[in-house]
Amino acid sequence: YRSVSNAGVVESTHTREVKVDTISPSSTHTINGTFGSNGWYKSNATLILSATDTGSGVSKIEYSLDDGATWADYTGSILFVDDGVKQIKYRSVDVASNIGSQNIINLKIDRKAPEANIVFNEDTKQISFIGIDDSPTTVVTTSNSSLITDEAGHTLLINFTKFNTNNNKKAGIQITKLTYDGVVTNITK
């Protein structure tokens, strides 16, 4: 651009660069860990975020662990070690301050096999097994074993023998073998 006076004097030409960016950046994620079943990770999980922007370029990636109440700058992979379900929100911002779409991850971690409660019903004289875990469990019991499986794919296999004492007035079980995720645990008598 330049200006010209009424007398016809022309000033030097000036150049200005105008940058326009109306496109928001986009973000993606990757999770590294041992994947189980039904969306659960059976190990610690590492979250890796990345972003692209075809306009001014990515300025930063942000994430929130409190439903968007606060946002932290992403500076590198994030390690999650606690069992349970965590909701993670993330987004990216470009150099022109355009904010990309907010993404939501429900990260489910269950690193251990389920536990069991053994319950004796005094009225029916029946012994039953109840699965305990961070994720829902199923229990399949036969005459000499009980298999407890959690939603993440972990297993607890309890092998036992039943016995009666005092003229069948009392019943009990003796656990003969415990197997956690395929690994046998020694039972000391």
Side-chain angles (χ1 to χ4, degrees), residues 77-134:
S77 60
I78 305 166
L79 178 65
F80 292 91
V81 297
D82 295 329
D83 287 359
V85 179
K86 292 128 186 79
Q87 185 182 77
I88 305 151
K89 294 184 177 184
Y90 68 95
R91 65 188 182 189
S92 53
V93 181
D94 68 14
V95 174
S97 298
N98 294 313
I99 299 174
S101 298
Q102 182 174 279
N103 300 290
I104 300 174
I105 305 167
N106 287 313
L107 179 61
K108 302 187 298 184
I109 300 174
D110 183 356
R111 298 173 301 142
K112 63 185 185 315
E115 297 176 0
N117 273 346
I118 303 171
V119 179
F120 176 70
N121 184 320
E122 196 170 316
D123 295 330
T124 64
K125 306 293 188 247
Q126 296 294 315
I127 297 171
S128 60
F129 295 82
I130 299 171
I132 302 169
D133 196 68
D134 292 325

Side-chain angles (χ1 to χ4, degrees), residues 17 40 46-47 51 63 69 163:
E17 181 179 59
W40 288 86
T46 303
L47 174 64
Y63 67 96
F163 61 88

Side-chain angles (χ1 to χ4, degrees), residues 15 48 149-150 180 182:
T15 303
I48 301 166
T149 305
D150 68 17
Y180 290 94

